Amino acid sequence: MYLYRTKKVNGLEVEDYEKVDNAISNLNIIKEFKSVKDTMSKDEYKPIYDEFNELVKQRGVHFKWCSIFEDIGYWRKANAIHNFFVQECQGGVDECQYSFITKDKLEDLLERCKRAMKLKKIYLNDGIIKNDEGLETFLPTQSGFFFGGTEFDEWYFQNIAETKKIITKVLKNTDFDKQVILYRASW
């Protein structure tokens, strides 16, 4: 599961960002992207090329590709976090699609993570929560083949602690007037 940041371009929908990135990711080196403009008419390439020229970077460690997306968050088997994004940002639709994530949603997730960490000792000791204020009410797990366990155990709280770090950094380093955040699960 990935969180990305890129330039905000007025009028582009989430599908447009995906199309641009898919076209660019098929190129092996940045030089190929810069030569794309020579093969297209000015009307075809100019809007995309002008908007994303400075963003295209070579990504990856072992395998290189070009992308307009900066990787700013990664989770593995953090099913409660995935469930949050699906339910709160994707309208319950879970099809490995890209989706915009607003500042408000990131702040909401951060607050839920902080609230969850306050309950860590209780859950790891006896797991008894009174007054329906347990984790299942505000940051529940989700079962699934690729999702790992659904218990509120040490793995759950490690994912929550890591999510707090990721979201705090994203909120601090993102200019939401000029940048967009996108989430995508991939399996």
Side-chain angles (χ1 to χ4, degrees):
M1 303 169 329
Y2 303 90
L3 204 59
Y4 301 109
R5 177 173 42 222
T6 194
K7 179 180 181 177
K8 179 186 277 186
V9 179
N10 290 331
L12 286 190
E13 299 295 330
V14 71
E15 298 83 11
D16 299 321
Y17 285 97
E18 182 178 12
K19 286 177 187 174
V20 170
D21 197 63
N22 284 343
I24 292 167
S25 69
N26 291 326
L27 306 174
N28 292 327
I29 55 174
I30 293 173
K31 192 178 355 176
E32 287 182 27
F33 172 69
K34 296 192 183 303
S35 69
V36 165
K37 69 178 184 171
D38 298 331
T39 65
M40 304 173 97
S41 75
K42 194 169 191 123
D43 292 338
E44 288 176 315
Y45 83 81
K46 187 151 180 56
I48 292 172
Y49 184 81
D50 288 348
E51 291 291 349
F52 293 107
N53 184 32
E54 298 301 317
L55 295 176
V56 176
K57 301 264 189 294
Q58 200 164 33
R59 313 287 182 183
V61 175
H62 303 290
F63 173 76
K64 301 290 186 188
W65 71 94
C66 294
S67 179
I68 61 168
F69 296 135
E70 173 190 3
D71 295 343
I72 57 172
Y74 172 76
W75 295 268
R76 186 170 182 275
K77 298 189 184 235
N79 59 59
I81 304 308
H82 176 67
N83 188 48
F84 171 86
F85 285 123
V86 169
Q87 299 306 319
E88 300 296 326
C89 305
Q90 297 177 180
V93 177
D94 186 5
E95 296 177 347
C96 296
Q97 74 274 22
Y98 286 95
S99 57
F100 287 128
I101 308 300
T102 65
K103 181 179 181 181
D104 290 343
K105 290 298 182 183
L106 291 171
E107 290 170 338
D108 181 17
L109 177 57
L110 181 60
E111 288 307 311
R112 291 178 192 216
C113 288
K114 289 176 181 178
R115 188 172 163 199
M117 292 306 290
K118 290 179 182 177
L119 298 174
K120 178 179 178 179
K121 285 184 182 175
I122 295 170
Y123 269 88
L124 296 181
N125 289 333
D126 62 18
I128 299 171
I129 301 292
K130 297 177 177 78
N131 302 327
D132 292 327
E133 294 183 13
L135 296 168
E136 10 347 79
T137 64
F138 64 91
L139 203 51
T141 59
Q142 175 182 347
S143 63
F145 181 71
F146 294 104
F147 289 161
T150 57
E151 298 81 22
F152 298 108
D153 57 10
E154 193 61 46
W155 291 105
Y156 174 90
F157 289 104
Q158 283 179 2
N159 285 327
I160 300 304
E162 183 61 25
T163 300
K164 273 182 57 181
K165 290 179 192 173
I166 291 169
I167 301 304
T168 299
K169 187 175 178 182
V170 169
L171 288 168
K172 179 181 177 191
N173 297 321
T174 302
D175 181 344
F176 287 89
D177 291 328
K178 296 179 180 177
Q179 298 172 305
V180 294
I181 304 298
L182 297 101
Y183 171 77
R184 182 177 189 206
S186 176
W187 25 80

